[in-house]
Amino acid sequence: FFYFPETHGISFRIQINVKEVLDTDVFLKLLFHLPVNYPSTVLDISVNSDQLTRAQCMDVREKLLEQAKKHLSEPMVHDLILWVQQHLKDVIKQSATVGKEKTTLSKGTEDGIWMLLLHLDHMRAKAKYVKTVEKWASNLRLTGRLMFMGKIILILLQGDRSSIKEYLILQKSSKVDVDSSGKKCKEKMMRVLCETELQSRHKRFQMFEVKEYSALEELQKEFETAGLTALFTEFIPPLFK
């Protein structure tokens, strides 16, 4: 367990092993972000596991946030860990049985505002690539940032889920860059770091901007201002290792 002291609170990661789920051990990585006024304010949680699907991790996260609301104004991290150890099996079972219903019921969610965080390995034809990303974002009415920090290139987008999905298809299928010999080529080194529904605590970007940052602190501030501290803590520091 480790933590990152921040001006906007504390983040720490805990890994737990839950026995006897689907006849196997499940290792859960829980990232907690405690805001400065915790426990008066609900904390933020990220859930990851190699044994569970992304949808199952999202379901576990939703249930944990529901539990967190019940413990408002009292320390809750320990209770949340105990709760997930006792109820993980039920959440996964429920997730599997309502999977089909969820696709019909979640049409509202489908149309909700989603967020996408991408990591690009490089841009050889930078000017052309940037213009293309700006054009796609504009056409699909997506807001956010194209961020450069040293060799790190990130694209953070917000918008309708259908537009986010369409953007991903364009990014993967179009010839957006050039290879080492100068021939046009598709983006093969892109990684989707996070694709999730925008929460009420997250701030909406009003426009799409291209920004360069000279220090990691500047980049961190960009995420913090948008209410995305937990997203930064989970995905950005590992890129510098």
Side-chain angles (χ1 to χ4, degrees), residues 3-230:
Y3 71 93
F4 305 94
E6 296 162 0
T7 51
H8 292 267
I10 287 175
S11 295
F12 58 90
R13 195 187 304 273
I14 292 176
Q15 181 165 308
I16 57 170
N17 180 9
V18 185
K19 303 258 179 205
E20 297 173 5
V21 179
L22 307 175
D23 304 321
T24 181
D25 286 0
V26 172
F27 291 94
L28 279 183
K29 293 170 197 158
L30 305 172
L31 180 76
F32 292 94
H33 173 64
L34 277 50
V36 175
N37 44 1
Y38 167 85
S40 307
T41 312
V42 176
L43 43 64
D44 194 8
I45 308 166
S46 293
V47 179
N48 280 296
S49 174
D50 294 336
Q51 287 83 28
L52 302 181
T53 63
R54 184 179 283 273
Q56 286 172 326
C57 287
M58 291 283 285
D59 285 338
V60 173
R61 178 179 179 272
E62 276 173 36
K63 296 289 180 193
L64 278 170
L65 287 172
E66 278 172 29
Q67 290 302 311
K69 282 173 190 166
K70 294 177 188 175
H71 290 277
L72 216 53
S73 297
E74 57 186 74
M76 61 186 87
V77 173
H78 181 63
D79 291 327
L80 292 177
I81 291 165
L82 289 178
W83 186 89
V84 80
Q85 285 174 320
Q86 290 161 9
H87 296 90
L88 183 63
K89 196 170 187 174
D90 301 328
V91 177
I92 292 170
K93 245 189 224 169
Q94 199 183 356
S95 180
T97 52
V98 301
K100 285 182 184 172
E101 294 168 44
K102 231 179 170 183
T103 50
T104 0
L105 293 172
S106 66
K107 283 205 170 158
T109 310
E110 281 285 328
D111 300 334
I113 302 301
W114 278 63
M115 178 168 62
L116 178 71
L117 180 62
L118 302 174
H119 174 236
L120 303 184
D121 186 72
H122 60 269
M123 281 185 184
R124 284 199 177 94
K126 186 176 173 180
K128 176 183 173 286
Y129 205 133
V130 169
K131 269 189 187 168
T132 305
V133 171
E134 285 179 311
K135 186 176 127 198
W136 288 341
S138 172
N139 291 348
L140 294 168
R141 294 183 182 174
L142 296 170
T143 60
R145 299 282 184 270
L146 169 52
M147 302 180 273
F148 295 93
M149 160 62 226
K151 289 185 178 177
I152 301 292
I153 307 166
L154 300 165
I155 300 176
L156 180 59
L157 296 169
Q158 295 175 349
D160 293 339
R161 193 176 190 189
S162 54
S163 300
I164 292 276
K165 285 181 172 176
E166 205 174 321
Y167 180 92
L168 270 174
I169 292 165
L170 284 168
Q171 183 85 51
K172 288 173 184 171
S173 59
S174 310
K175 290 186 176 179
V176 284
D177 207 2
V178 295
D179 62 18
S180 51
S181 60
K183 285 183 185 168
K184 289 181 180 178
C185 66
K186 292 178 185 175
E187 178 57 75
K188 292 175 187 168
M189 302 286 281
M190 178 187 80
R191 277 198 306 144
V192 176
L193 298 180
C194 180
E195 186 180 354
T196 184
E197 191 171 11
L198 206 67
Q199 305 297 316
S200 55
R201 65 187 165 278
H202 301 147
K203 290 181 187 164
R204 287 287 310 272
F205 288 111
Q206 296 305 306
M207 60 184 75
F208 183 81
E209 291 181 86
V210 181
K211 294 183 91 171
E212 302 220 8
Y213 308 86
S214 53
L216 188 58
E217 291 72 27
E218 279 180 35
L219 185 61
Q220 183 170 356
K221 191 119 190 246
E222 182 80 76
F223 278 79
E224 285 175 355
T225 306
L228 302 172
T229 304

